[in-house]
Amino acid sequence: MRNDNVQNVRVDYQQLLRDAMDTARRLPARGRPADYIPALAAADPEAFGMALATVDGEVHGVGDWEHPFSIQSVSKLFTVALALAEGGDGIWQRVGREPSGNPFNSLVQLESEQGIPRNPFINAGALVATDRLLELTGDAAGTVRDFLRAESGNRLIATDDGVASSEARHGHRNAALAHFIASYGNLRNPVDSVLAHYYAHCAISASCRDLALAGLFLARHGLRTDGSRLLTRSEAKRVNAVLLTCGTYDAAGEFAFRVGLPGKSGVGGGVLAVLPGRGAVCVWSPGLDAAGNSVLGVAALDALTTATGWSVF
Ligand code: GLU
């Protein structure tokens, strides 16, 4: 079904999701779950869920759409949005908004760029956003968790402590990044607190349903579920823009090419994409490609936007 066909008729969201899931599941390649955080390696490579929440209040899902998974870097979208909401655009003095052209956990640019990470979605930039949110609220991970709970209505959303401590035990690179940033004076809190909050928000467990609902504020140009304003229209536009250019690791060009939406992926296999003015869609499948994006997740989003024309282009 193409865009022109779905404009004025009642859209069968459930069927669209089912078609996207079936297309993705027919792929021979599945990718592999992340194993550099040992607690993630146990994820079922066959799991697949997809949910779509609309700005009109409809929620639809297929497969394991209500099954909680480790949201990992999808949390970075919320961290930066909440840091903006709490503290305004001062965050952009401390983190850039250009693609890095490097892996998400790379150290190399930080030295030549004086401890200012390229964007808030690589690990270095997310550590700065976490530090900013911690400075503003006193509880960065709790602020992210509470926002997810409020927007999804799911009070059970919480950090999986096993995943957080697995990350901390194997987090030498993140610790190196945080210390390096601190050496340039770009952290305001102790490195250990910033890392603990960073691991805790990455290790939040939530489902496709929860994340699609929580991502709706970006589709509503900054408005929360209760109608209050989280971000100005301009701030929401900017977060969407950085998601489009930097939200899917070093494959954001490929994601824009195939899916054509602002989106954020995580190594738990989740991808949250924004349909501005229309809704938010989250897909989860733990098998990752070489860039760290969910193989079936990207394929399903590609199928959905190709069938409907729902891209920003
Ligand atoms: N917590 C993970 C890490 O720091 C997040 C990685 C990701 O999802 O991109 O390595």
Side-chain angles (χ1 to χ4, degrees), residues 20-21 23-31 45-50 258 269 271 283-289 293-303:
M21 174 173 75
T23 303
R25 276 188 160 155
R26 277 197 293 273
L27 274 184
R30 294 289 158 105
E46 292 303 314
F48 181 97
M50 191 170 190
R258 291 181 61 191
V271 191
V283 56
W284 169 57
S285 170
L288 307 180
D289 62 20
N293 293 312
S294 168
V295 173
L296 298 198
V298 175
L301 290 168
D302 179 354

Side-chain angles (χ1 to χ4, degrees), residues 237-260:
K237 176 198 77 177
R238 290 176 174 177
V239 173
N240 276 325
V242 184
L243 283 171
L244 182 77
T245 53
C246 311
T248 41
Y249 305 113
D250 201 16
E254 179 70 8
F255 189 79
F257 180 82
R258 291 181 61 191
V259 178

Side-chain angles (χ1 to χ4, degrees), residues 36-37 72-73 76 104 123 167 174 198 202 249 265-268:
Y36 76 101
I37 300 170
Q72 291 297 318
S73 280
K76 295 173 181 173
F104 67 102
N123 286 14
E167 283 210 52
N174 285 324
Y198 172 81
C202 286
Y249 305 113
S265 51
V267 294

